[in-house]
Amino acid sequence: MGDIRAASDDGIGRAVVAGAPNAIVALDRDQTVLAWNPAAERLFGWPAEELLGRRAPVVPEELMAEHNAVLERVRTGGQVSLRTKRFRRDGSLVDVRVDTSALRSEAGALLGYVSVYHLTQDDETAQDRVVRRAQLVRRLTDVVADINAERELPAVLDRIAASLAELTGADAGGFVLIEGDRVRLVASHRLPDSLRDSTADLRTSLVGKLLRTGRTVMLETGDQARLDELIWSQLPGLHTIALGVAAVGSRPYGALYALFAKRKAGHVELELLELLAGHAGIAVGNAMAYQEAVRQRAHERAVFDASADGIAVLDSTGRVIQWNPAAGELTGFPAAEVIGGPPPFPLPEPGDKLTLQLPSGAWLDVLCAEIVETGEIVVDFRDITRAKELEEAKDLFLATTSHELRTPITVVRGFAGTLDSRWDSMTDVERRAAVHTIAERARSLGQLMDHVLLGSRAGAGELTLKIEGFDLGELLRTATLGLPVLSDLHRVEVSVPGDLPPVSGDALATDIMLGQLLENAFKYSPDGGLIRVEAWAAGDRVVVVVDDEGVGIAPASRERVFERFVQGDSSDRRRFGGVGLGLYIVRSLAQAQGAEVSAHPRPGGGTRMRLALRIADTPGALT
């Protein structure tokens, strides 16, 4: 068994020497050649059979002393390496580096010498490669720094593609992104622009092939037909593709392609490609994360700026660091005045809600939330002034309605009780007067209930009207016929031309509107004066105005009087009675039939109510 192992080891040793790339020459103590491997044959030109058992004529005479000194040095221990010259068979001299060491037995006895010869040209080439690699690695460091300094993904990708050709010496290069089951060329260098955004199936692409191998770099050469199938075939003379996967951890983002048409790819180029691909994966991942962060911030900023709610962000010391446009509109404080200081109103505890009124009169609902990680406070507030006013108006409506209902009911109950208890003792005139009062108060009560019911239907959008052509002039004359005798304090003038065109609408609803406008004219001119009703045609409309010389309507209330539960006299909203539904009903009926109603100041004082109805296309017909 030992002999077999020894024979095997001996055979392996001979194979190693025979296969060595450098020339190996073994000499005995008398400098007779014991071994002369194939590399020595190639270097010096003598075949082994000519030199085995004799001295090799390779040392020039003038260098023999140097040669003997080297052998003496290694005989006494150590190894010597020097640059020198040796003869070749053709008589030429060759520059070599010789590494010489002693050949000893297992017992340590000197058996001879072993010299390994290297061409100094190879050493210089190797040294040049080392220097070049060092330079490229330094350049790679600079390139990586440049790439990492970029934040926009397109700029990162273009920089990677250009750096690829610079570092590897490739004739062209590109970067493909992995997008689901496809790869897309997103950056290229020295390739036609038409290739950009070209896609291929990941599974059948070289990227897919590389990923399946589990390696990070691959060299594709040889089969020209295969290369011609690829989009890279637009590079004339393409013969080699070096491919490196760009990944972070286990996630591949894409791959680098180095394309060679004139130059060749060596191990240094592959090494640099692998290093650059690794850094490219990190750079692409960072750029994509940055883009996502930018997109997210832009989205958040858009929501922040476009929010109808006021939004503020406070730092851990309670100073405002963000203040959106709505916050400025709601509070009257622009961002420039607020940022850097405390908010212009008190805050609730995080998670609670605080309702407060600003000095401007606006009401706000304020909510707070704490960002635990940063200690910042997010404040959200919204304007509830209209809701607050509506709530107050509803409360006032309930109180007023109760009062308006109680008054006629009290009167009806009183007169009915009197009639019941004193019928026989009352005169006929007294009884008739009591019954008349009861009837009048019942009529007022019914009118009040009609207003409440009609206002409820208008608020629910349940008004149903019959739209047709009708004679507005006749309706106006009828509605104003008995007005002059209703009040000793008022004068009534009516100006309606006889040729007033028919209008389109609901005659009953229009009669209700006119009645309410006329009632308001009398009601809100308690000291009397002129009430004038006038109508005329204007374009495709017939305009009706009702003027009075009463208390008028403040400019800020000219639209609000058409809301529910609102009256025109803001100084004392309820001194004229009523529940504030009349003009709300008028506008609801007007809008339901395509008409318009508005309030204006009357020249000389008082109010002008303006109603505009559409002229009918066909009188009397449905429109």
Side-chain angles (χ1 to χ4, degrees):
M1 189 68 169
D3 293 340
I4 294 175
R5 179 175 298 172
S8 175
D9 291 344
D10 186 54
I12 292 174
R14 285 195 301 269
V16 170
V17 172
N22 296 313
I24 299 176
V25 177
L27 307 176
D28 63 14
R29 288 183 299 178
D30 296 327
Q31 301 186 38
T32 299
V33 176
L34 297 174
W36 186 270
N37 73 343
E41 293 181 356
R42 292 192 296 272
L43 176 61
F44 297 112
W46 284 283
E49 57 269 21
E50 288 187 18
L51 294 182
L52 289 175
R54 58 186 292 259
R55 284 197 173 200
V58 295
V59 181
E61 183 64 31
E62 65 272 18
L63 297 178
M64 188 59 72
E66 174 190 79
H67 174 64
N68 292 331
V70 168
L71 297 184
E72 181 61 22
R73 177 67 183 85
V74 299
R75 185 185 66 78
T76 58
Q79 179 177 327
V80 176
S81 179
L82 80 158
R83 290 184 60 172
T84 186
K85 295 180 182 293
R86 292 292 184 265
F87 277 125
R88 301 188 66 180
R89 187 178 187 182
D90 60 7
S92 62
L93 287 173
V94 61
D95 291 324
V96 294
R97 179 169 59 85
V98 186
D99 298 321
T100 304
S101 58
L103 180 63
R104 298 184 183 275
S105 66
E106 292 182 3
L110 180 66
L111 301 179
Y113 311 92
V114 176
S115 296
V116 180
Y117 293 86
H118 314 266
L119 283 173
T120 55
Q121 178 184 351
D122 293 342
D123 288 344
E124 291 170 356
T125 302
Q127 184 63 33
D128 289 343
R129 288 176 180 170
V130 170
V131 172
R132 179 173 176 270
R133 185 184 183 281
Q135 291 173 342
L136 289 174
V137 169
R138 286 194 298 271
R139 182 60 187 141
L140 174 64
T141 302
D142 295 338
V143 166
V144 169
D146 291 343
I147 291 173
N148 289 334
E150 296 284 358
R151 288 294 178 265
E152 297 296 330
L153 184 59
V156 169
L157 297 174
D158 288 341
R159 187 71 182 88
I160 291 171
S163 302
L164 173 64
E166 176 187 354
L167 291 170
T168 65
D171 297 289
F175 187 91
V176 296
L177 273 180
I178 297 174
E179 299 176 337
D181 59 356
R182 307 285 296 177
V183 290
R184 180 168 63 92
L185 178 64
V186 292
S188 63
H189 183 66
R190 299 175 186 165
L191 286 170
D193 289 339
S194 59
L195 292 182
R196 189 179 292 266
D197 291 324
S198 299
T199 65
D201 182 74
L202 173 62
R203 184 181 58 83
T204 59
S205 69
L206 291 180
V207 180
K209 180 179 178 181
L210 174 57
L211 293 177
R212 287 191 293 273
T213 66
R215 302 195 305 270
T216 57
V217 68
M218 180 178 73
L219 207 61
E220 186 80 359
T221 60
D223 186 356
Q224 192 62 45
R226 166 65 173 151
L227 297 180
D228 288 344
E229 294 176 0
L230 306 174
I231 60 172
W232 315 111
S233 61
Q234 293 192 35
L235 179 66
L238 174 67
H239 59 74
T240 301
I241 296 178
L243 187 68
V245 64
V248 177
S250 59
R251 179 183 178 184
Y253 283 98
L256 279 171
Y257 281 83
L259 310 177
F260 296 88
K262 300 176 182 177
R263 301 178 178 90
K264 293 184 178 181
H267 69 280
V268 174
E269 287 74 21
L270 285 177
E271 179 185 1
L272 289 170
L273 173 63
E274 185 174 17
L275 291 173
L276 181 60
H279 287 292
I282 296 173
V284 170
N286 289 342
M288 293 177 71
Y290 175 78
Q291 276 197 334
E292 178 61 23
V294 170
R295 189 199 65 79
Q296 184 65 26
R297 283 197 296 269
H299 173 75
E300 292 171 355
R301 172 55 61 180
V303 173
F304 182 80
D305 289 344
S307 173
D309 284 5
I311 302 175
V313 180
L314 281 57
D315 64 16
S316 57
T317 65
R319 294 177 301 180
V320 176
I321 56 177
Q322 293 191 58
W323 187 259
N324 77 336
E329 294 173 4
L330 293 178
T331 63
F333 293 95
E337 295 182 14
V338 178
I339 290 179
F345 48 78
L347 302 179
E349 291 296 320
D352 293 339
K353 182 176 77 170
L354 176 65
T355 300
L356 54 86
Q357 188 176 27
L358 298 175
S360 64
W363 285 88
L364 300 178
D365 266 353
V366 185
L367 296 168
C368 286
E370 181 180 7
I371 303 175
V372 178
E373 292 79 3
T374 63
E376 295 174 330
I377 299 293
V378 178
V379 184
D380 181 278
F381 49 96
R382 62 183 58 184
D383 188 353
I384 59 166
T385 304
R386 296 297 299 275
K388 198 77 173 176
E389 291 176 349
L390 183 60
E391 182 181 343
E392 292 177 355
K394 286 182 178 179
D395 292 341
L396 187 58
F397 165 75
L398 292 175
T400 303
T401 304
S402 299
H403 172 76
E404 295 289 331
L405 288 172
R406 187 181 299 113
T407 299
I409 290 175
T410 299
V411 172
V412 168
R413 183 186 296 119
F415 276 91
T418 299
L419 289 173
D420 181 54
S421 61
R422 297 178 54 202
W423 178 271
D424 293 333
S425 61
M426 296 176 67
T427 66
D428 184 62
V429 174
E430 291 175 332
R431 287 195 292 267
R432 287 182 179 275
V435 171
H436 177 74
T437 300
I438 291 173
E440 283 297 314
R441 294 298 179 175
R443 184 191 65 79
S444 297
L445 185 61
Q447 187 178 37
L448 175 62
M449 297 309 298
D450 287 343
H451 276 193
V452 172
L453 180 60
L454 194 55
S456 173
R457 288 178 178 174
E462 296 176 354
L463 292 175
T464 302
L465 304 181
K466 181 181 180 181
I467 308 300
E468 61 184 1
F470 67 91
D471 188 344
L472 179 62
E474 180 62 26
L475 184 63
L476 284 170
R477 284 185 282 270
T478 301
T480 58
L481 184 63
L483 291 181
V485 299
L486 289 181
S487 171
D488 295 332
L489 299 176
H490 296 86
R491 292 180 296 111
V492 179
E493 293 182 3
V494 180
S495 178
V496 179
D499 59 350
L500 197 68
V503 298
S504 175
D506 186 295
L508 178 58
T510 304
D511 186 51
I512 294 173
M513 291 191 293
L514 290 172
Q516 185 62 53
L517 296 179
L518 291 168
E519 180 183 330
N520 277 9
F522 280 92
K523 181 177 178 179
Y524 289 102
S525 54
D527 297 328
L530 175 66
I531 293 177
R532 179 175 176 79
V533 180
E534 189 175 1
W536 66 87
D540 63 346
R541 300 271 176 166
V542 170
V543 178
V544 179
V545 296
V546 179
D547 289 346
D548 67 61
E549 297 178 333
V551 297
I553 302 175
S557 298
R558 287 174 191 155
E559 274 299 310
R560 294 192 66 243
V561 295
F562 294 101
E563 298 176 7
R564 285 187 288 183
F565 320 132
V566 175
Q567 287 189 342
D569 184 10
S570 58
S571 61
D572 182 0
R573 298 202 304 175
R574 298 297 168 177
R575 72 181 171 118
F576 296 105
V579 294
L581 284 173
L583 290 180
Y584 172 73
I585 293 171
V586 169
R587 174 159 283 183
S588 298
L589 291 173
Q591 291 175 341
Q593 55 186 312
E596 299 173 353
V597 64
S598 54
H600 307 271
R602 175 187 171 275
T607 300
R608 165 171 288 185
M609 301 303 293
R610 181 181 185 276
L611 175 65
L613 298 100
R614 292 185 293 112
I615 294 177
D617 295 330
T618 305
L622 292 178
T623 60

